[in-house]
């Protein structure tokens, strides 16, 4: 099954790796017989079949100032595709005679057999730039013109953000989605002042998720995997105590926190909060943020770690005074 998501094509032919004539303006999604979901964006295929899902799933925010590449270089055209893309531009004359002449000379366009490296067809690709379509800072920094790379060769060392397994891992990181972080509380409806409230996350939902990014034309891929490691609770008021005191609940035995059960009323929860005053007619905004560790593996045994990611949510907690009855 193939689904074209967006299409914007100029009035000339010759599709590149991005699925359209400009090599990057079209996205294509495919679902295989085994249920694998892949999306081609900017010359890279993303397999999201092991990603987090659901209405509350969202993207990670790096816990540092690090961010994924805003643009990158990857195979974009075969010799024939580049010729089909450039020649109509030159014929239109909109870019100026001098520039067109320089371009024709660069690509040896007048040589029918060797122009655009047609004598190397099947032995390499013209690489070009792709842009993160959210246009983050630096999106316009990949301004190198098309360059040729023979199959099996590494791209020029002086070109930053040319596709490697590590760059693919960083792009995969940006595609990771993790489940929402609404914690289960006990008591559930409303808690009481000075009553320890237990908090935990559904272990079935908080398991590792991953995204694989690949460029099949050159046999490169990388998988970025996110694993939940801790939950931080911020009660939403300074008049509260957390369990543990740091407010950070580490993952233990595949679980974050511990489900409350009858008979534990006098125990201290391994993860939770105790409010010291009532929320009155309103509620307190309890914030729950899960930290996810990111590691990656890639072609040729490459691998390593990427900065931790965080994803959180806020939920309203009603805190009532304990009503005493005098007799």
């Amino acid at each position: 099954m193939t689904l074209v998501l967006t299409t914007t094509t100029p009035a000339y032919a010759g599709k590149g790796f991005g699925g359209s004539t400009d090599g990057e303006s079209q996205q294509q999604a495919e679902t295989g017989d085994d249920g694998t979901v892949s999306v081609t964006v900017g010359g890279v295929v993303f397999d999201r079949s092991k990603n987090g899902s659901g209405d509350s799933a969202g993207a990670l925010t790096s816990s540092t100032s690090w961010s994924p590449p805003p643009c990158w270089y990857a195979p974009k055209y075969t010799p024939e595709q580049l010729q089909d893309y450039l020649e109509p531009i030159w014929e239109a004359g909109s870019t100026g005679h001098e520039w067109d002449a320089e371009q024709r000379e660069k690509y040896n366009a007048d040589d029918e057999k060797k122009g655009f490296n047609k004598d190397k067809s099947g032995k390499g690709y013209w690489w070009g730039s792709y842009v993160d379509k959210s246009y983050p800072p630096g999106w316009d920094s990949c301004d190198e013109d098309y360059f040729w790379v023979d199959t099996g060769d590494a791209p020029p060392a002086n070109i930053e953000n040319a596709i490697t397994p590590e760059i693919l891992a960083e792009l995969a990181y940006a595609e990771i989605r993790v489940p929402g972080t609404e914690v289960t509380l006990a008591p559930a409806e409303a808690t009481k002042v000075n009553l320890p409230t237990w908090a935990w996350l559904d272990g079935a939902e908080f398991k590792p998720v991953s995204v694989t990014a690949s460029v099949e034309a050159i046999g490169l891929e990388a998988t970025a995997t996110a694993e939940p490691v801790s939950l931080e609770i911020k009660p939403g008021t300074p008049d509260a105590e957390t369990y543990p005191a740091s407010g950070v609940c580490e993952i233990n035995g595949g679980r974050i926190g511990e489900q409350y059960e009858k008979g534990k009323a006098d125990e201290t929860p391994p993860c939770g909060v105790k409010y010291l005053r009532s929320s009155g007619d309103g509620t307190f905004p309890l914030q729950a943020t899960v930290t996810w560790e990111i590691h990656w593996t890639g072609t040729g045994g490459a691998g390593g770690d990427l900065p931790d990611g965080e994803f959180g949510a806020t939920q309203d907690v009603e805190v009532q005074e304990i009503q005493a009855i005098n007799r």
Side-chain angles (χ1 to χ4, degrees):
M1 178 174 69
T2 300
L3 170 66
V4 174
L5 301 177
T6 60
T7 307
T8 55
T9 54
Y12 36 83
K15 291 188 176 182
F17 286 88
S20 72
T21 51
D22 63 8
E24 61 181 310
S25 61
Q26 188 181 76
Q27 299 181 10
Q28 181 170 296
E30 298 182 356
T31 302
D33 295 336
D34 59 356
T36 299
V37 179
S38 62
V39 179
T40 302
V41 183
V44 177
V45 177
F46 295 99
D47 179 354
R48 300 170 177 164
S49 59
K50 297 179 180 178
N51 214 356
S53 59
D55 293 339
S56 62
L60 291 169
T61 300
S62 172
S63 57
T64 70
S65 59
W66 177 89
S67 60
C71 61
W72 58 93
Y73 297 94
K76 201 159 191 174
Y77 296 112
T78 65
E80 294 77 14
Q81 288 170 341
L82 184 60
Q83 181 177 13
D84 289 344
Y85 173 61
L86 289 178
E87 286 194 333
I89 297 177
W90 300 337
E91 291 171 4
S94 59
T95 49
H97 174 75
E98 183 177 349
W99 185 86
D100 291 347
E102 292 175 355
Q103 290 283 294
R104 287 183 181 278
E105 182 178 355
K106 172 182 176 179
Y107 297 106
N108 194 21
D110 295 330
D111 190 319
E112 292 186 5
K113 292 185 178 181
K114 295 184 178 181
F116 301 94
N117 282 3
K118 283 186 288 187
D119 56 326
K120 290 188 173 185
S121 290
K123 300 177 182 179
Y125 298 98
W126 287 101
W127 287 42
S129 63
Y130 295 89
V131 173
D132 181 333
K133 289 303 183 181
S134 67
Y135 300 104
W139 66 268
D140 55 350
S141 60
C142 296
D143 54 5
E144 296 284 345
D145 202 356
Y146 302 115
F147 55 91
W148 179 264
V149 180
D150 287 331
T151 300
D153 286 354
N158 65 316
I159 296 183
E160 188 176 357
N161 286 357
I163 282 294
T164 61
E166 184 169 5
I167 293 292
L168 284 174
E170 293 174 351
L171 294 175
Y173 182 119
E175 297 295 319
I176 289 175
R177 299 294 180 268
V178 296
T181 52
E182 182 170 356
V183 297
T184 303
L185 301 175
E189 300 301 325
T191 189
K192 308 294 184 182
V193 173
N194 291 321
L195 176 68
T197 301
W198 293 58
W200 67 93
L201 290 170
D202 186 347
E205 291 206 15
F206 283 85
K207 55 187 178 182
V209 298
S210 65
V211 172
T212 297
S214 62
V215 180
E216 296 179 1
I218 54 175
L220 288 184
E221 72 169 31
T223 298
T225 301
E227 294 189 69
V229 292
S230 64
L231 165 71
E232 182 178 13
I233 292 178
K234 294 182 179 179
T237 172
D239 297 316
E241 298 175 358
T242 56
Y243 305 100
S246 65
V248 178
C249 307
E250 302 291 342
I251 191 167
N252 185 18
R255 299 184 306 180
I256 298 180
E258 183 179 324
Q259 183 173 342
Y260 175 79
E261 296 177 356
K262 274 189 174 183
K264 293 184 176 181
D266 295 330
E267 296 182 20
T268 299
C271 182
V273 60
K274 179 171 70 174
Y275 287 96
L276 305 180
R277 68 177 177 89
S278 166
S279 60
D281 294 332
T283 57
F284 291 128
L286 182 145
Q287 185 177 16
T289 302
V290 173
T291 295
W292 299 73
E293 283 185 349
I294 316 296
H295 60 270
W296 67 276
T297 57
T299 302
D305 296 323
L306 291 170
D308 291 349
E310 298 175 343
F311 187 66
T314 300
Q315 58 198 84
D316 295 328
V317 178
E318 182 182 357
V319 182
Q320 301 172 341
E321 292 280 4
I322 296 178
Q323 299 298 319
I325 299 177
N326 295 321
R327 300 192 179 187

